Each structure stands twice: as structure tokens, then as C-alpha cells.
Amino acid sequence: MVLPTHPRYESLMLRAKMVEAYKNGILSDSGLIAHGRGEAFDYLIGEKTTLNAHKAIQAAAAALILAVYPVISVNGNTAALASHEVVILTQSLDAKLEINLFYRTSERIKNIRKILEDAGAFEVLGVEEESVTIEGLKGPRSKSSKIGVNQSDVVLVPLEDGDRTEALISNGKFVITIDLNPLSRTSQKASITIVDNLIRAIPHLVREVDKLKNTSKSELRNIVNNFDNQLNLQDSLDLIAQNITTKKEKKIDKTD
Ligand code: ATP
Ligand code: MG
């Protein structure tokens, strides 16, 4: 048993949660590996929501409030880590909630739907209703609900795959992602990238939406327009570089 005093306690608890989600047929085996990649980047950003992640969260909240047809896309990792918060966000934005799996099986769709419904979702798309193919993609991963992502103007896709992000952008969607790796294709291609762990970012996003809900449209547009995704990603990379350098210097200090 891991004690709460263990320095890696929270990270190890999260890992145990993901293993459980894998055993319960919510997460794919690749989802577990993706989590591992995320852990490494979380370590490097300091396992907290950084100032530039806050800026991206504010811009994301503004874009989602301005959206005419916002859709929140959920995969196994998101369902395992933040189902309650995702449902709260959906309801607060009056958005659609859609399950979109890279490794799509009817079993996982069923399990994730149950998690979302248990968390309070009234309507879960990406399940049985009519689907369409996202232009530019092939195979089961190209499926999207006809009344979900397909119809959206703004879509929140935490932990999306690079190919799908590119396809969504080419189809004219405003894509918001949450991805701990500032270098991934998804991070680089998205309209707004929140470089943060989704377990922290989604509750922050819920609070930011509440805060900005009564802000004027022109002010919200200003927030979105003043956000520069490439600059924000560069700030995250600079922070990672700084964290690595600082640790190295500390080590040198110790041996001196
Ligand atoms: P891309 O396809 O966009 O180039 P990739 O192939 O490098 O990305 P994937 O396996 O497709 O990566 O997606 C996993 C991504 O999700 C990784 O970039 C990882 O850092 C990130 N990630 C994993 N867990 C979390 C989490 N809890 N919160 C935010 N991001 C996460
Ligand atoms: Mg990928």
C-alpha cells in the first residue's frame, strides 16, 4: 500500500485509477501508455496548473461560451479521470457530450456511456445515433455523431490524436485541446491548447466558465483574439527547459 506521505502519492494513486479503468474496460491498453507519456510531461511542468495554462483555460472558456454549437468529446482517459467535471462543464455550457474513441469497440462505448450517465449526463452522443465520417479520416476512428462534433463550431477534445485534430481543423472547427505535451501534433495544430493535466484543467475550466458567463460578447471575443497559441506553447516549453536547468544546477550545487 502506498502511504499518503509518499512523495509520488498523488501520481501513483492516479496510476492505480487508470489501471482500474483499464481492467473495467473503459481505457484501452494504448490509453494506459498515453497516460504514461502524460505523466512524464506533468513531471516536467511541475505537476501544477501553470500561469500560461491559466491563460489558455481563460481563452478556452471564452471560446466555449461564445460557441453556437459547443461539443465536448470524451475518450477513455477523460472518462476515467474527470467524468463528473466533464458532465458539469457540459451542463453549464449547454453543450453536447460525445464519446469519441480512437480504438472504438462497442464494449468500451457501453462502459463509458454508463460512467457518464452515472455522473449525471442526460444525453450521451457517439453511441447509437446516426454517425457520419469526419472528412480526411478512415476507419472506425473517423466516426462522429451526426448531431455532435460534426455539427459543432467549437469542440473540446482533451487528449486528441494528431490526425483527428488536423482533420477537425481542416473541417473548419475551432479546436480546444488539453494536452500535457506542448510538442504533440495535437498541441501544435489546435486553436487553443491547454498544457495541463486534464484532471486539474477541467475543474479550472468549469470555474472559469462560471466566472465569464455574464461577460459581454465583445469582451469574450477580445480574450479569444488576444490569445496566441504558438506563443503560449513556447512559454510551456521555456518553463520545461527552465525546470530541467534548475534541477541540473541544484545537483551541481550539491556536489560542489
Ligand atoms: P499526437 O497524435 O497529437 O502527435 P501523440 O501521438 O504524441 O500525440 P497520443 O498517444 O496520441 O500522443 O496522445 C496522448 C497525449 O495525451 C500525449 O501527448 C500525452 O502527453 C497527453 N496526456 C496523457 N494523459 C494526459 C492527461 N491526464 N492530461 C493531459 N494530457 C495527457
Ligand atoms: Mg497520436
Side-chain angles (χ1 to χ4, degrees):
M1 202 186 84
V2 185
L3 294 174
T5 48
H6 190 289
R8 309 294 313 142
Y9 179 75
E10 275 175 35
S11 176
L12 292 173
M13 287 296 106
L14 267 194
R15 196 178 277 188
K17 200 171 183 178
M18 298 309 262
V19 171
E20 199 55 32
Y22 171 69
K23 287 184 186 156
N24 292 336
I26 291 151
L27 209 62
S28 66
D29 45 8
S30 294
L32 271 183
I33 298 170
H35 180 76
R37 184 175 288 170
E39 275 184 350
F41 280 98
D42 208 5
Y43 222 120
L44 292 172
I45 66 163
E47 292 177 323
K48 57 177 187 285
T49 303
T50 63
L51 188 64
N52 49 305
H54 269 296
K55 287 183 197 162
I57 288 169
Q58 191 194 41
L64 284 164
I65 296 168
L66 283 169
V68 176
Y69 202 96
V71 174
I72 299 172
S73 172
V74 173
N75 66 1
N77 295 59
T78 312
L81 288 175
S83 51
H84 280 95
E85 291 79 2
V86 158
V87 170
I88 293 169
L89 185 64
T90 307
Q91 289 167 355
S92 151
L93 289 164
D94 200 13
K96 296 282 182 198
L97 186 61
E98 175 172 348
I99 304 175
N100 269 302
L101 303 183
F102 195 77
Y103 298 100
R104 191 184 177 92
T105 65
S106 49
E107 189 61 20
R108 283 184 62 226
I109 295 272
K110 194 181 87 192
N111 294 337
I112 294 173
R113 178 189 194 170
K114 180 160 186 332
I115 282 211
L116 293 171
E117 285 177 348
D118 288 350
F122 299 122
E123 184 189 34
V124 179
L125 300 177
V127 183
E128 282 154 355
E129 76 282 5
E130 202 181 334
S131 69
V132 290
T133 298
I134 303 172
E135 212 177 301
L137 293 176
K138 288 197 183 82
R141 66 191 60 168
S142 68
K143 270 182 123 187
S144 136
S145 163
K146 195 173 179 186
I147 54 165
V149 168
N150 172 61
Q151 218 165 297
S152 68
D153 53 344
V154 179
V155 58
L156 172 66
V157 282
L159 258 95
E160 187 51 285
D161 160 68
D163 288 344
R164 290 211 306 202
T165 306
E166 280 185 32
L168 291 172
I169 293 276
S170 314
N171 285 301
K173 312 291 180 197
F174 189 94
V175 178
I176 302 166
T177 193
I178 304 171
D179 191 327
L180 278 158
N181 176 6
L183 293 167
S184 77
R185 281 179 307 151
T186 299
S187 288
Q188 294 288 332
K189 293 282 174 183
S191 318
I192 297 176
T193 305
I194 301 167
V195 180
D196 196 11
N197 195 321
L198 72 88
I199 207 160
R200 296 187 298 267
I202 294 180
H204 274 303
L205 197 50
V206 169
R207 285 196 288 277
E208 200 59 33
V209 165
D210 273 351
K211 215 164 97 188
L212 292 178
K213 239 181 184 169
N214 298 319
T215 306
S216 70
K217 283 196 172 177
S218 64
E219 214 171 305
L220 292 172
R221 269 190 224 107
N222 271 344
I223 294 174
V224 178
N225 292 339
N226 287 334
F227 180 81
D228 183 328
N229 206 41
Q230 281 306 319
L231 213 66
N232 194 270
L233 288 169
Q234 187 57 53
D235 285 346
S236 290
L237 288 171
D238 290 348
L239 179 77
I240 289 173
Q242 207 182 323
N243 284 346
I244 292 171
T245 318
T246 314
K247 293 234 163 66
K248 200 171 89 190
E249 278 167 2
K250 272 189 191 150
K251 216 170 169 188
I252 291 168
D253 279 352
K254 260 190 214 161
T255 51
D256 273 352

